[in-house]
Amino acid sequence: EVQLVESGGGLVQPGGSLRLSCAASGFTFSSYEMNWVRQAPGKGLEWVSYISSSGSTIYYADSVKGRFTISRDNAKNSLYLQMNSLRAEDTAVYYCATLLMSGLNKHHAFDIWGQGTMVTVSS
Amino acid sequence: QSALTQPASVSGSPGQSITISCTGTSSDVGSYNLVSWYQQHPGKAPKLMIYEVSKRPSGVSNRFSGSKSGNTASLTISGLQAEDEADYYCCSYAGSSTVYVFGTGTKVTVL
């Protein structure tokens, strides 16, 4: 079964750090470009970060640039998001998602999604 | 980068057709045929319904269709069914600087 499972969320104080993980199974993780997308409570979706299949290309939304770091370990079929200097506005469900691919062609759409992990930034 | 603009809510009766608009700018929707649409039921992860403006992933009903004109993309749901009641989000590729921008989201209600 194709699956993404996020973990690592929780309650953290403003200014604190948290590391999210996303475990992939049922597909060749190393061939897929990956993303983090978040959703604040009762709000819409917001793209957070992208990483290429090899990890050589990385992008961030302006709202997290300089504070969040995306990485991956293809040997462990895992994606990560290191979140530092957390703010109240970072409170959200964080989803990992694959980029839809067909062969080497990327279709710039988010195909497989995890169930999400909740991050709450509050004192 | 501002979110793409969607109507907050759209409603229709079973069997009817509804259309959700998604308005961006010449830097995102207008520049790329890379608009995707997602369906999200309460408490669930989003599900890809349309990619590259009008393509349907395997398994998605052909009652869902997409189009684009200028800076505005649209999702049409025909033969509206009770299970279509959900939130819908558009998303556009916006180049290597902004990368991806989502829409504000539309709540679809089946009357």
Side-chain angles (χ1 to χ4, degrees):
Chain A
E1 179 191 5
V2 172
Q3 198 172 11
L4 294 171
V5 179
E6 301 93 337
S7 60
L11 174 64
V12 61
Q13 291 188 337
S17 297
L18 213 54
R19 189 196 195 205
L20 305 184
S21 298
C22 170
S25 59
F27 63 100
T28 308
F29 177 74
S30 59
S31 298
Y32 281 77
E33 303 176 11
M34 298 296 298
N35 296 266
W36 288 98
V37 176
R38 69 184 181 183
Q39 185 171 34
K43 302 297 184 181
L45 300 170
E46 179 188 14
W47 172 79
V48 172
S49 184
Y50 156 95
I51 186 167
S52 63
S53 56
S54 67
S56 61
T57 302
I58 285 172
Y59 298 112
Y60 298 100
D62 286 345
S63 57
V64 306
K65 201 171 294 183
R67 300 186 299 122
F68 289 11
T69 301
I70 191 172
S71 62
R72 65 190 298 160
D73 185 335
N74 286 341
K76 294 184 177 180
N77 291 334
S78 293
L79 174 73
Y80 306 102
L81 186 68
Q82 177 67 42
M83 304 186 296
N84 298 331
S85 302
L86 282 162
R87 307 166 179 168
E89 54 264 36
D90 295 318
T91 294
V93 173
Y94 284 74
Y95 297 99
C96 59
T98 63
L99 205 63
L100 179 64
M101 309 280 292
S102 53
L104 296 179
N105 296 320
K106 51 187 170 188
H107 299 287
H108 293 288
F110 307 109
D111 184 20
I112 305 165
W113 295 68
Q115 86 290 349
T117 187
M118 183 70 204
V119 172
T120 303
V121 183
S122 175
S123 56
Chain B
Q1 179 77 24
S2 298
L4 308 177
T5 300
Q6 298 180 231
S9 63
V10 173
S11 62
S13 300
Q16 286 187 330
S17 294
I18 61 169
T19 297
I20 303 168
S21 61
C22 169
T23 302
T25 69
S26 57
S27 298
D28 39 62
V29 175
S31 284
Y32 307 95
N33 289 324
L34 296 171
V35 176
S36 53
W37 289 89
Y38 303 85
Q39 176 191 65
Q40 187 180 34
H41 287 107
K44 300 294 186 182
K47 175 187 176 182
L48 177 63
M49 304 302 285
I50 294 286
Y51 68 99
E52 291 179 352
V53 176
S54 60
K55 299 177 181 178
R56 274 188 310 275
S58 174
V60 172
S61 171
N62 59 9
R63 298 185 298 104
F64 292 84
S65 61
S67 62
K68 191 189 91 166
S69 177
N71 296 338
T72 299
S74 299
L75 174 72
T76 297
I77 309 174
S78 58
L80 200 61
Q81 298 180 2
E83 64 255 34
D84 300 332
E85 187 162 292
D87 293 326
Y88 290 82
Y89 294 91
C90 61
C91 182
S92 177
Y93 178 72
S96 59
S97 177
T98 303
V99 195
Y100 298 107
V101 59
F102 277 95
T104 50
T106 298
K107 181 176 179 59
V108 168
T109 301
V110 180
L111 302 171

